[in-house]
Structures are given as C-alpha cells and as structure tokens.
Amino acid sequence: MIRIGILLLAIFYSQEKANEPVRQMEYEGKVYRTAYNVSRFNGKYSGAKDGYLEIREDGTGTYVYDIFGLALNGCKKGPIEVEYGFLINENDSLVRISRDYGYSYPIILRATGETSFQGCRTPVMLDFLMEYQDGTIGVSSSDDWIKLED
C-alpha cells in the first residue's frame, strides 16, 4: 500500500519525457501507463552473485534471482522472462522520485512465462531503478545490482 502512495505522489515529480511506444500495465488491480525503450536504462544489471536483471529495448527482459528461495510446487527455478514498463504520468513524462542519492524510477515487471516472482506466487512486481548522483544506475530489489557498462 505504501508503494502505491509513493507512485501517486511521484506523478507530480516527473519531468523527463518518455519515448514511444507506450503500453498499459496492471499492478495490484490498477492500470498504469508505461513506456519502454528508455535507452539509458537498457542493458544488464548485476552484482557479486549470479543474479541479474536485463532490460531490452523491445520492452522485454530477464530477471534472475541471486537466491531463488522457497517456491510453490511445480515452480521451475530459473530465469523469469518479463515485459516491463516505466511509469509515465498524464504528460507522458517518466515518473521519478527525488531521493537523497539521486532519483528512483518505478518499473513494472510482468512475468510472461511459467516462472514468476516470489516462487511463482506473484506474476507482477513493482521495482525501482535508482539513478545515483554519480551517474550509476542500480536496482532496488537487489543490494548490489548496478548497470554494467555497454
């Protein structure tokens, strides 16, 4: 519930125009307008372990947990193929939230295959890409995932 409140507040703090294409994605029963192929966010994010997030310009990606954890029976442990979208506001600007370290950008990740988030309990996840003042970009769902150089 706190994340939804943050999202609603963040709509007023957006300035960067989103690129086409735009698509609607649902999260917790609400439909959001999103954009993909925001070129500076495209690429692979990883850290010291084997997990990573890869964001491709076609609006798809791959999410691999560092540690998969407990899963429902029948949940295949492995990569989660996703469609993604960065939230945009009514002015077609990326939603961004000002933080002490820089900015965070809400991103919806929707599993498109058999394997999904939280051991196949959650088909859609809200995450944040964090843009630090030094220009590096990280992923909030992992302690150390940062964008690798292209």
Side-chain angles (χ1 to χ4, degrees):
M1 201 62 174
I2 292 173
R3 282 188 169 190
I4 291 175
I6 290 171
L7 291 177
L8 295 176
L9 288 173
I11 290 173
F12 300 106
Y13 296 103
S14 301
Q15 297 174 0
E16 181 179 354
K17 285 289 186 187
N19 296 329
E20 292 292 332
V22 171
R23 68 171 151 214
Q24 294 186 349
M25 297 185 79
E26 186 174 332
Y27 175 70
E28 292 190 348
K30 184 168 177 43
V31 176
Y32 293 91
R33 292 180 65 241
T34 70
Y36 58 93
N37 194 18
V38 181
S39 60
R40 67 192 168 101
F41 293 126
N42 293 342
K44 189 171 185 178
Y45 299 77
S46 68
K49 299 177 187 166
D50 291 332
Y52 66 88
L53 171 63
E54 184 175 7
I55 296 176
R56 295 183 284 275
E57 66 185 35
D58 68 355
T60 65
T62 305
Y63 189 102
V64 176
Y65 280 109
D66 288 323
I67 300 171
F68 198 82
L70 298 175
L72 296 175
N73 287 338
C75 181
K76 295 180 182 178
K77 295 181 181 181
I80 301 169
E81 297 302 321
V82 299
E83 286 184 334
Y84 72 87
F86 290 94
L87 270 61
I88 57 175
N89 66 18
E90 64 279 352
N91 297 322
D92 291 335
S93 296
L94 289 179
V95 172
R96 72 178 185 178
I97 303 165
S98 183
R99 306 284 191 188
D100 290 342
Y101 57 77
Y103 295 101
S104 64
Y105 295 83
I107 182 173
I108 296 174
L109 304 167
R110 185 180 68 80
T112 58
E114 293 180 30
T115 305
S116 61
F117 304 100
Q118 296 179 340
C120 296
R121 290 177 179 82
T122 305
V124 180
M125 180 173 82
L126 176 68
D127 208 339
F128 294 85
L129 292 190
M130 305 173 303
E131 184 174 35
Y132 299 101
Q133 291 172 354
D134 68 2
T136 59
I137 303 172
V139 180
S140 71
S141 62
S142 178
D143 292 339
D144 68 346
W145 289 359
I146 59 167
K147 186 172 188 241
L148 303 176
E149 294 296 320
D150 296 328

